[in-house]
Amino acid sequence: MGTLFSKIEKTLQPIFDGLPPLPKDATNWLVKAWPVIALIAGILQLLAAWSLWHVGHLVNSLVNYSNALSQAYGTGATVNHLGFFYWLGLIALAVDGVILLMAYPGLKARSKAGWNFLFLGALVNVLYGIFSVFDSTYGGVTKLIFTLIGSAIGFYFLFQVRSHYTGKKTEKKQA
């Protein structure tokens, strides 16, 4: 995918390889289920992004109505539109959904390309968490912390099954 992508993967690999391994049955189940999970999650994320896009436009039109009403009555109070980071987060959600759908064929074939797409999707999720810090309405540091925890769990599972997609067995023992 790219040198930056490879550097991030090589940086994270020793961290997650050093953690206790999943049982072999759990790893095998995850490898079998992951294509379906990616397909369903990709579709759901695209549906969520589409719905949130419509809701965002509805909210902004209500804000316009509220602001016009405030000006008509001379109160001068205004309501802010959904911010830049709302729309940026929405784009990240849609991109992640597309990435998950793109991962499906590679995961089904157990190729490294499928795993790479999942890894890229996890990185996009971290980026979404960073965007959410700047969204004053729905974001904040708490959302970033929960996103990072979720991403760490996702990276753990990714690196647990990585050898099934690279053809290289890891040197640690399976539990």
Side-chain angles (χ1 to χ4, degrees):
M1 288 215 168
T3 58
L4 177 62
F5 183 81
S6 297
K7 286 179 185 177
I8 294 170
E9 182 182 346
K10 287 178 183 173
T11 302
L12 292 177
Q13 185 175 357
I15 296 167
F16 289 99
D17 281 351
L19 296 174
L22 285 174
K24 188 173 183 146
D25 291 342
T27 305
N28 290 337
W29 178 85
L30 191 56
V31 169
K32 289 177 187 171
W34 219 315
V36 176
I37 293 169
L39 185 64
I40 291 170
I43 291 168
L44 290 175
Q45 281 189 270
L46 288 176
L47 288 173
W50 182 67
S51 296
L52 289 172
W53 183 80
H54 284 291
V55 168
H57 283 307
L58 177 64
V59 167
N60 280 341
S61 66
L62 290 173
V63 165
N64 287 339
Y65 177 74
S66 173
N67 288 339
L69 200 58
S70 293
Q71 289 176 351
Y73 285 102
T75 62
T78 59
V79 180
N80 294 329
H81 288 90
L82 292 174
F84 173 73
F85 288 101
Y86 173 85
W87 298 106
L88 201 55
L90 184 65
I91 291 168
L93 182 67
V95 166
D96 196 32
V98 170
I99 289 170
L100 287 172
L101 292 178
M102 292 171 65
Y104 174 77
L107 292 172
K108 191 126 176 94
R110 291 193 184 176
S111 73
K112 180 72 165 55
W115 187 91
N116 285 345
F117 278 121
L118 284 182
F119 186 70
L120 181 61
L123 292 175
V124 168
N125 193 44
V126 170
L127 190 62
Y128 168 75
I130 293 169
F131 292 157
S132 70
V133 169
F134 302 104
D135 186 357
S136 61
T137 307
Y138 301 106
V141 175
T142 305
K143 188 165 185 177
L144 173 65
I145 290 169
F146 283 114
T147 301
L148 292 176
I149 290 170
S151 294
I153 293 168
F155 283 129
Y156 171 75
F157 287 127
L158 274 171
F159 282 101
Q160 289 295 304
V161 300
R162 186 174 179 273
S163 64
H164 290 269
Y165 297 99
T166 61
K168 300 175 187 172
K169 294 292 178 193
T170 56
E171 295 168 10
K172 61 184 177 181
K173 293 188 289 185
Q174 293 288 333

